[in-house]
Amino acid sequence: MSWGDVRTPSPAAATFAAFACVLAGIGFARFAYTPLMPALVEAGWVSPAGAGWAGAANLVGYLAGALLGPAIARRPDLRPWLRGMMVLTVVSLAASAAPLGLAWLELWRFGAGVAGGALMVVGPTAALAAIPPERRGRASGVVFTGVGLGIALSGFALPWLLSHGLVATWLALAAACALLAAASWRGWPARPVAAPPRPQAAPAFLPVHLAYALSAIALVPHMVFLIDHVARGLGRGVTEGALLWALFGLGALCGPMAAGWLVDRIGPVAAMRSVFAAEAVLIAVPAVTGAMLPITVSAVAVGAFVPGVAPLVLGRLYALGGGTGAWAAATIGFSIGQAGAAMAFSALYAALGTHAPIFAIGAAALAAAVAVDIALSRRRSPPTSPRPPAP
């Protein structure tokens, strides 16, 4: 098959392409930055506050990519766009290897975010065109393990890579993503299963949408600041911080399947609210203690929650009759919550010089998500429902 072939790829090739885009665009290009933050600060590439601003730029880019995703999905041929976003991922990581100041790093963290957001919205659903309906659930499970695998691999590999310097580390990440781009190049179908509708909202979905946006705020402290808090704030060093990030990734590997099992077991309403309430407590842990055992438990649990929140929210929307439009609106709201929180928390850290209030606010946001969901819900979701399809 030539690189320009229009034939539909095999289910295995399409599944791998979607897995590769999630691993590269989210697992490596987005989440590998968190354990790099203390090393960037210690090397003098950016200030502590600047490292946070660069992380916020990535989340703003992710929002832009998520907004761009539905427009890409309506194109008659997805392949040039998906391949282009994979190339942008590689370029953004390679360009970050140049120590040219905060503005330069912010530019390319933003670019990586755009690519990651677009790939996350379009890639998995595009791959479904080549996968038989009866195999799409299993294929989706494979695809979304890319998030946790990227976190875990970056956590275990970064201490060794950093021993060779920041330039080598950035270039190694770029090379890994280049290999994934090349391996998945011919795996994309030309067209999605169906052109998705534009994002829409409905009163029945509002409690879930608001709760999901608040959960995005709650995740930012762990996703952006936890490793810097442990490595520099608690004086544990970059190596211990990277190891904690690897454990965070191991939690993320288990999160989607555990969340899906819980939805099937106790229903989407109870599953979402109980997990949100438990995570609110766990997110607060770094705000109240510097002991590594509870912080490690917090990291693993919140790591599971990062990819696991999607099946919980999808379960609620699916039970309420929501389709692609409801999920697109939820994804955009989640991206807005993350981007706004990242910028606000970066400003707060710059003003206070401590991470503790950030974790406290994150916990409060998730507690508010439960309260908002309960207060605004006008009807109960069915006690059981089929596991939701992949977004």
Side-chain angles (χ1 to χ4, degrees):
M1 176 172 17
S2 69
W3 282 26
D5 203 319
V6 297
R7 288 179 294 173
T8 300
S10 69
T15 300
F16 177 78
F19 166 80
C21 86
V22 172
L23 177 57
I26 307 298
F28 286 151
R30 181 177 180 183
F31 285 115
Y33 177 74
T34 301
L36 278 174
M37 287 176 65
L40 289 166
V41 173
E42 290 181 0
W45 284 31
V46 292
S47 68
W53 282 113
N58 181 258
L59 296 181
V60 174
Y62 185 83
L63 169 60
L67 290 169
L68 181 63
I72 294 175
R74 286 188 288 270
R75 305 296 298 177
D77 189 348
L78 299 175
R79 293 170 300 171
W81 296 87
L82 291 166
R83 292 166 179 168
M85 291 299 166
M86 291 291 279
V87 171
L88 177 58
T89 299
V90 175
V91 171
S92 68
L93 291 170
S96 298
L100 299 179
L102 176 59
W104 177 263
L105 183 62
E106 286 179 325
L107 171 65
W108 292 108
R109 292 309 298 155
F110 177 84
V114 171
L119 288 169
M120 190 66 163
V121 170
V122 183
T125 52
L128 296 183
I131 300 171
E134 68 274 11
R135 294 172 58 184
R136 287 175 182 169
R138 283 172 291 174
S140 297
V142 172
V143 167
F144 287 104
T145 60
V147 177
L149 183 61
I151 296 171
L153 287 176
S154 62
F156 285 117
L158 278 176
W160 178 78
L161 289 173
L162 285 170
S163 69
H164 295 80
L166 278 167
V167 172
T169 300
W170 282 115
L171 292 178
L173 290 170
C177 291
L179 290 173
L180 290 168
S184 63
W185 195 264
R186 293 182 291 182
W188 297 111
R191 297 171 183 85
V193 176
R198 295 184 183 276
Q200 58 187 349
F205 306 142
L206 182 61
V208 185
H209 286 164
L210 290 176
Y212 194 37
L214 286 166
S215 75
I217 297 171
L219 289 174
V220 169
H222 275 67
M223 287 169 48
V224 177
F225 297 100
L226 177 64
I227 306 309
D228 192 49
H229 172 66
V230 170
R232 293 191 313 106
L234 300 181
R236 297 283 181 168
V238 173
T239 299
E240 190 162 346
L243 177 59
L244 186 65
W245 188 245
L247 296 174
F248 184 96
L250 292 178
L253 281 172
C254 304
M257 287 182 280
W261 175 85
L262 194 62
V263 168
D264 287 343
R265 183 80 174 178
I266 65 176
V269 177
M272 180 173 154
R273 291 175 181 171
S274 60
V275 171
F276 275 34
E279 290 294 332
V281 175
L282 290 162
I283 287 170
V285 167
V288 298
T289 180
M292 284 307 298
L293 179 58
I295 288 177
T296 301
V297 172
S298 172
V300 173
V302 178
F305 189 59
V306 168
V309 66
L312 297 172
V313 173
L314 279 168
R316 289 291 303 280
L317 294 174
Y318 187 67
L320 292 169
T324 303
W327 173 246
T331 301
I332 291 169
F334 185 88
S335 301
I336 292 171
Q338 277 199 329
M343 290 187 290
F345 289 154
S346 295
L348 182 63
Y349 177 71
L352 301 180
T354 179
H355 295 104
I358 295 173
F359 293 101
I361 293 171
L366 204 51
V370 178
V372 165
D373 183 24
I374 294 172
L376 295 185
S377 292
R378 295 173 181 250
R379 62 177 180 175
R380 295 181 62 188
S381 298
T384 59
S385 66
R387 184 171 295 181

